[in-house]
Amino acid sequence: MPTESTESTVSALPSTRAHLTSPRTIATLTVQSAFQAAAREFLTAEGFTELLPPIIGPVTDPGSRGAKQVDIDYYGHRYKLMTSGILYKQASLLAFDKIFHVAPNVRLEPLDTAVTHRHLVEFHQLDVEIAGGSRDDAMDVAERMTTHVVEYVLSNAKHELRELGRDVEQLNQVLAGPYGRKRHTEAVRELRDLGYDQPDHTEIEWAGEELVSAAATRPFFVTDYPKGSRGFYDREDPDSPGVLRNFDLIFPGGFGEMMSGSERESDYRTLLTRIRETGENPAKYEWYLTLAREGLPPSAGFGLGVERFTRFLCGSDAVWQATAYPKLPGVPRP
């Protein structure tokens, strides 16, 4: 059942007709189209190949932060709707060295996320993967791609930004210099200094993420999350046991996390051990582990939330405003 706070969110949602015909929606989706065009332009120029991702499979990303997976009957077999195409990104590097795709994802988020302004049940992700890449390589592509998108939108969507009343100074700040970097331990310490009791060994909680985002003036990466806080495919740092070679990209203004990425684990035995450590049955991942046993290239990559980044570009109040057909947790919508 929807909670009282969820019900207040539902009552604020416009009808489908009102939403689709709103000048703000039209301006927002036009900015989103420009954003995707700019990202494709950038990645293609960098030598990336765009692939069409799968939307169902025998298994999907287990690291979806409390969200439930959706099962479907696939000719008598229990398959999943993708919560993330991470395993398929690694597999795709058997064909190409640098790939990207824009992928639909479905996650049955907990009901309390309906009021975070940042969560949807159905959303899209711009996924990037680099064979032989390091975390620094992935972060470099992420920074240059997002700054290219902001430049493109500032130049090509001026009318829409005016329609939305967007403060372009915040967008210009993205272009002001290199993105910041801080380790997970440093972000935890900052949150505690702000009076937020963030645990040491978990991902930064949503409320805490919003706090550090609101306190920032420029984008920054949070790196080195503790082992156990992310999926089994994030590579453990060989020089710092218990620390993962991964990152989040946080944008300022309270908009929070835009993307997550990492170096990927590709060694078969290590993957088998990591899967078992999470309490999962390795047999579920038979197709993926078979590829790893035969040899997967080491890689690094990231996933950028399309609707979340659109929300930042437009300065929108909530992420549901950045999609034509919003689906919030617990809210039946077309």
Side-chain angles (χ1 to χ4, degrees):
M1 291 291 291
T3 63
E4 184 176 341
S5 55
T6 304
E7 288 172 353
S8 65
T9 301
V10 175
S11 65
L13 292 175
S15 69
T16 300
R17 177 177 294 277
H19 180 56
L20 289 173
T21 58
S22 164
R24 291 191 64 83
T25 300
I26 294 167
T28 298
L29 297 182
T30 302
V31 169
Q32 187 175 90
S33 179
F35 147 34
Q36 293 186 84
R40 283 188 168 98
E41 174 185 80
F42 173 86
L43 291 168
T44 301
E46 292 276 320
F48 286 83
T49 299
E50 181 173 8
L51 301 181
L52 298 176
I55 59 172
I56 61 171
V59 70
T60 186
D61 180 1
S64 49
R65 216 170 170 176
K68 294 181 180 178
Q69 300 172 0
V70 179
D71 294 335
I72 65 167
D73 182 351
Y74 185 71
Y75 301 101
H77 299 274
R78 190 165 74 173
Y79 269 42
K80 307 283 187 182
L81 296 182
M82 288 296 110
T83 60
S84 162
I86 171 60
L87 307 183
Y88 290 92
K89 286 201 296 180
Q90 285 184 275
S92 296
L93 296 178
L94 294 170
F96 300 97
D97 287 339
K98 299 164 79 174
I99 64 101
F100 77 97
H101 57 231
V102 178
N105 293 280
V106 177
R107 299 179 186 178
L108 296 182
E109 298 282 359
L111 289 177
D112 58 5
T113 63
V115 295
T116 64
H117 308 298
R118 297 174 51 219
H119 290 84
L120 294 167
V121 171
E122 181 182 77
F123 65 98
H124 295 79
Q125 195 159 273
L126 172 58
D127 281 303
V128 172
E129 201 73 15
I130 308 162
S134 67
R135 177 176 64 182
D136 284 346
D137 293 330
M139 292 167 69
D140 174 64
V141 171
E143 181 170 343
R144 290 188 297 111
M145 184 187 75
T146 50
T147 55
H148 177 77
V149 168
V150 170
E151 287 177 330
Y152 187 97
V153 166
L154 282 168
S155 296
N156 294 277
K158 294 176 182 177
H159 169 77
E160 287 75 20
L161 295 176
R162 283 196 298 270
E163 174 73 34
L164 294 162
R166 181 59 165 123
D167 175 9
V168 296
E169 273 311 301
Q170 191 173 64
L171 297 180
N172 282 319
Q173 276 298 308
V174 174
L175 312 177
Y179 292 178
R181 298 191 183 197
K182 62 183 70 176
R183 291 170 58 92
H184 175 270
T185 50
E186 184 183 349
V188 169
R189 187 165 56 249
E190 286 183 13
L191 278 169
R192 289 176 175 171
D193 289 344
L194 291 169
Y196 187 87
D197 188 19
Q198 167 66 41
D200 283 321
H201 301 296
T202 67
E203 290 190 287
I204 304 298
E205 295 172 346
W206 293 308
E209 208 173 79
E210 192 167 335
L211 274 176
V212 293
S213 170
T217 57
R218 304 206 54 255
F220 63 93
F221 292 101
V222 177
T223 65
D224 301 304
Y225 280 75
K227 183 181 178 183
S229 66
R230 291 287 175 88
F232 61 78
Y233 41 78
D234 280 12
R235 182 169 177 256
E236 187 173 5
D237 191 331
D239 298 322
S240 299
V243 175
L244 298 174
R245 295 278 298 168
N246 61 2
F247 64 90
D248 278 353
L249 176 57
I250 310 295
F251 266 62
F255 291 94
E257 178 225 317
M258 296 291 122
M259 72 166 64
S260 292
S262 73
E263 288 179 17
R264 315 302 189 185
E265 185 53 68
S266 58
D267 177 73
Y268 168 73
R269 293 186 181 279
T270 305
L271 282 168
L272 198 60
T273 299
R274 292 284 299 279
I275 290 171
R276 286 174 174 153
E277 286 174 350
T278 66
E280 292 220 61
N281 181 1
K284 289 170 50 180
Y285 299 90
E286 179 185 4
W287 74 269
Y288 171 72
L289 288 171
T290 297
L291 290 180
R293 186 171 59 247
E294 295 168 348
L296 281 174
S299 66
F302 58 82
L304 171 69
V306 171
E307 289 85 358
R308 284 190 182 182
F309 197 51
T310 302
R311 180 194 172 203
F312 170 77
L313 292 169
C314 297
S316 303
D317 293 330
V319 71
W320 67 260
Q321 296 168 319
T323 179
Y325 303 99
K327 293 181 178 65
L328 286 164
V331 183
R333 294 280 294 185

